[in-house]
Amino acid sequence: WLAFGPGAAQFLNGTRSVNHRSTTKYIQRLKKGLSAVAEEETLDWQQWTRERFVFGLRQLQGIAWDQWKESGCPQTVENLETIVARHIDEGWLERNGSWVRLTRQGLFLSDSLWEQYW
């Protein structure tokens, strides 16, 4: 995922970065030819698995569940399978064929659904 604008987050080649949140600082840095990135972190396999999951859910179609599971860290996948099942029961997530996605209600809660788990 690429980031454009103040406060936008990007995930590229295993590295997560976030642009400066201040619009003024963001513009000043770009005008000076500097990077707009305020924070940067290289993710381990567990973090990378979670990141792909949460960012994937931000897409309306959701994530290709089986594909995500096959490429993810087994421990993280196992933990999230339990959480996903609970959120499906609560009506925040749904399965659509081989995809898992947020429901209409889940869209309003999406970021807060995962805070308690990491």
Side-chain angles (χ1 to χ4, degrees), residues 1-5 7-21 35-43 51 55:
W1 294 271
L2 299 177
F4 300 98
Q10 159 170 297
F11 182 65
L12 189 62
N13 299 323
T15 300
R16 174 184 32 208
S17 58
V18 180
N19 290 339
H20 284 279
R21 293 183 186 343
S35 170
V37 173
E39 305 167 23
E40 190 171 78
E41 174 184 19
T42 300
L43 306 180
E51 193 83 1
F55 272 92

Side-chain angles (χ1 to χ4, degrees), residues 12-31:
L12 189 62
N13 299 323
T15 300
R16 174 184 32 208
S17 58
V18 180
N19 290 339
H20 284 279
R21 293 183 186 343
S22 162
T23 303
T24 304
K25 190 167 197 165
Y26 175 86
I27 291 171
Q28 287 173 344
R29 292 188 59 83
L30 289 179
K31 283 184 175 180

Side-chain angles (χ1 to χ4, degrees), residues 80-96:
L80 279 170
E81 281 183 302
T82 304
I83 297 164
V84 165
R86 185 175 332 129
H87 286 340
I88 288 172
D89 290 343
E90 293 167 337
W92 297 329
L93 293 174
E94 65 185 2
R95 289 192 186 274
N96 182 22

Side-chain angles (χ1 to χ4, degrees), residues 60 90-94 101-110 113:
L60 290 179
E90 293 167 337
W92 297 329
L93 293 174
E94 65 185 2
R101 67 181 180 190
L102 290 162
T103 62
R104 191 176 283 276
Q105 299 91 340
L107 286 169
F108 293 107
L109 302 170
S110 62
L113 289 176

Side-chain angles (χ1 to χ4, degrees), residues 69-85:
K69 284 174 43 175
E70 288 175 17
S71 65
C73 171
Q75 179 184 0
T76 304
V77 168
E78 184 178 329
N79 291 340
L80 279 170
E81 281 183 302
T82 304
I83 297 164
V84 165

